[in-house]
């Protein structure tokens, strides 16, 4: 499995930003109001992926150190404050890698759509009263979506397992 290309994510984000801007511009009056809390699930998923990446990286490092110690005949001593962890299942790492890639693509898509809505809301700030709230919601949406992309890329990076020496 190859890592997600950052350039491809940027192309999706920019392309959907243009498409989102065109759709919002055409149907702005008939769309339901944007609320600041709508993109919050993206931020929650981003936090979960960052925490998962941190935990997985620590477990894989511990597992790798144990294997090295076993090959060299040493006893794998635990560091102060370190607790024993179970070895990581290879299928878990594969599933997390797939989740990370899917989240990166979804985050890029949502970032583009929210950015398109943000651009339109910013251009309407002086004319429409609802544009202020919509701009805030779209700004939060862009931030949450970009956080999801960053979290997904960190999780994908944590899923890389270096070959044994």
């Amino acid at each position: 499995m190859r890592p997600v290309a950052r350039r491809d994510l940027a192309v999706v984000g920019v392309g959907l930003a243009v498409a989102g801007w065109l759709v919002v511009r055409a149907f702005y009056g008939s769309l339901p109001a944007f609320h600041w809390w709508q993109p919050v699930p993206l931020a929650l998923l981003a936090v979960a992926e960052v925490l998962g990446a941190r935990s997985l990286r620590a477990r894989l490092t511990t597992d790798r150190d144990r294997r090295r110690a076993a090959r060299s005949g040493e006893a794998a001593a635990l560091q102060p404050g370190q607790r024993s962890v179970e070895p990581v299942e290879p299928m878990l790492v594969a599933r997390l890698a797939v989740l990370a890639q899917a989240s990166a693509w979804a985050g890029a898509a949502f970032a583009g759509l929210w950015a398109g809505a943000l651009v339109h809301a910013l251009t309407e700030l002086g004319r429409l009263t609802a544009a202020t709230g919509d701009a805030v919601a779209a700004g939060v949406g862009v931030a949450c979506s970009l956080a999801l992309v960053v979290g997904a890329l960190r999780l994908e990076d944590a899923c890389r397992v270096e070959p044994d020496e």
Side-chain angles (χ1 to χ4, degrees), residues 8-137:
D8 294 344
L9 293 176
V11 168
V12 166
V14 170
L16 284 175
V18 171
W21 174 72
L22 289 172
V23 168
V24 170
R25 188 181 79 168
F27 300 106
Y28 189 66
S30 61
L31 290 174
F34 298 141
H35 301 287
W36 67 268
W37 49 264
Q38 289 170 327
V40 169
L42 298 175
L44 295 176
L45 183 57
V47 168
E49 289 189 5
V50 167
L51 293 175
R54 183 177 169 204
S55 173
L56 179 65
R57 183 171 281 121
R59 288 180 65 189
L60 288 174
T61 300
T62 303
D63 201 27
R64 189 177 315 114
D65 291 344
R66 273 195 206 147
R67 285 195 309 265
R68 279 191 193 130
R71 277 196 310 271
S72 66
E74 301 173 7
L78 293 175
Q79 301 295 329
Q82 184 182 19
R83 58 189 172 122
S84 178
V85 293
E86 293 292 320
V88 180
E89 291 288 328
M91 281 305 294
L92 173 66
V93 176
R95 288 179 181 137
L96 289 175
V98 170
L99 171 68
Q101 288 194 353
S103 296
W105 287 108
F110 278 115
L113 292 173
W114 280 114
L118 177 62
V119 167
H120 182 72
L122 289 176
T123 60
E124 299 294 327
L125 275 180
R127 293 182 11 168
L128 299 174
T129 310
T132 303
D134 291 344
V136 169

Side-chain angles (χ1 to χ4, degrees), residues 2-10 45-54 56-57 96-108 144-160:
R2 284 181 288 152
V4 174
R6 276 59 168 171
R7 176 183 39 95
D8 294 344
L9 293 176
L45 183 57
V47 168
E49 289 189 5
V50 167
L51 293 175
R54 183 177 169 204
L56 179 65
R57 183 171 281 121
L96 289 175
V98 170
L99 171 68
Q101 288 194 353
S103 296
W105 287 108
C144 291
S145 300
L146 291 177
L148 178 59
V149 172
V150 169
L153 293 177
R154 286 193 63 180
L155 180 59
E156 182 187 44
D157 185 54
C159 290
R160 291 184 190 170

